[in-house]
Amino acid sequence: MKTLFDLQTILFQKIKGSSLENAITGGIYKGKRPQNSTLEDIVINAITIDSETLQTGAANVNIYVRDQEVNVDGTIQQLPDSARLSVLADLAIPLLESVYGPNYNFYIAGQGIFDEPEINQHSINLKIRFNCH
């Protein structure tokens, strides 16, 4: 039987050493990001996994990117760095979109972008669905 920690480890190992890891300025973390990080970090959170014979579970992969300072009509504003978010999404999606392991498979079930205004960053959220057998 797989645990939430197993799901995090599977995703961590998939990203570790990949072109996505090489492209970010920060690190890959399970569960929580270092406090006050301003780097491009990846955080992996497993959310649920059931206890059936054929287990299903869900996890999130969040990729953080610092906002850009943009002068809009003489006022400096923090806006998403859409170009950088796009580059990292283009690296993450093929890496995670459909993966088959020895006793599991996972795929991207959805994606979103979240504003993190208190830290002047945005994050790409990839929702991962697991099937463990």
Side-chain angles (χ1 to χ4, degrees):
M1 177 180 290
K2 297 275 188 225
T3 68
L4 294 172
F5 304 104
D6 294 327
L7 301 186
Q8 286 181 339
T9 298
I10 289 166
L11 288 167
F12 184 91
Q13 290 172 343
K14 182 65 179 170
I15 297 168
K16 190 75 178 156
S18 70
S19 58
L20 176 59
E21 181 191 22
N22 293 332
I24 62 171
T25 60
I28 307 168
Y29 303 97
K30 296 178 189 178
K32 190 173 180 182
R33 187 173 186 214
Q35 190 172 9
N36 300 321
S37 177
T38 60
L39 301 176
E40 295 172 344
D41 295 317
I42 298 172
V43 179
I44 301 164
N45 289 301
I47 300 170
T48 63
I49 190 163
D50 63 30
S51 298
E52 303 297 320
T53 302
L54 297 175
Q55 292 180 279
T56 58
N60 285 314
V61 174
N62 296 308
I63 306 168
Y64 292 84
V65 174
R66 184 191 307 226
D67 290 345
Q68 336 177 327
E69 289 187 353
V70 178
N71 186 332
V72 179
D73 297 326
T75 303
I76 301 297
Q77 297 183 23
Q78 299 289 328
L79 298 176
D81 188 344
S82 297
R84 185 64 179 154
L85 289 163
S86 180
V87 165
L88 295 177
D90 287 346
L91 291 171
I93 290 169
L95 184 66
L96 304 172
E97 69 182 336
S98 188
V99 176
Y100 294 87
N103 54 5
Y104 64 86
N105 67 295
F106 66 83
Y107 60 94
I108 298 172
Q111 51 183 299
I113 297 176
F114 293 98
D115 186 7
E116 308 283 348
E118 64 282 352
I119 58 173
N120 295 323
Q121 296 181 358
H122 278 73
S123 63
I124 302 164
N125 170 257
L126 299 175
K127 296 175 193 221
I128 308 294
R129 295 279 184 232
F130 270 88
N131 297 303
C132 303
H133 34 87

